[in-house]
Amino acid sequence: MGDWHPIVKLLGDCVFNYPLTMGGEDFGAFSKIIPGTFIFIGARNEEKSYDYPHHHPKFAIDEDSLIDGVNMMVHVALEMRK
């Protein structure tokens, strides 16, 4: 994703194109009806030992990372109003 993209300007170098994945979500079906974007918000933090995979008994997220998701969603909502 180029430096020109508004989300890159908002969040900096933590934004990158994620490799294509099949995932297990129903997003593909929903986005046929209403166009959308699937966004992964990284919540892994090895310094806090929050680095276990999903479904592992020790899985946890670094809640400090959620502010990036909130900032991004607010930015998108404000841009959609234009």
Side-chain angles (χ1 to χ4, degrees), residues 20-80:
L20 294 177
T21 177
M22 293 296 289
E25 304 293 332
D26 292 329
F27 183 78
F30 297 139
S31 63
K32 286 182 181 178
I33 300 167
I34 300 173
T37 301
F38 197 98
I39 299 168
F40 289 95
I41 300 173
R44 178 186 188 121
N45 186 329
E46 292 176 4
E47 292 175 5
K48 295 180 180 180
S49 296
Y50 297 160
D51 56 352
Y52 291 92
H54 295 158
H55 310 294
H56 188 283
K58 292 185 178 180
F59 172 76
I61 65 169
D62 182 2
E63 293 181 1
D64 293 338
S65 68
L66 298 180
I67 192 67
D68 289 338
V70 170
N71 285 336
M72 189 222 26
M73 294 303 294
V74 167
H75 180 77
V76 168
L78 292 173
E79 287 296 310
M80 294 293 292

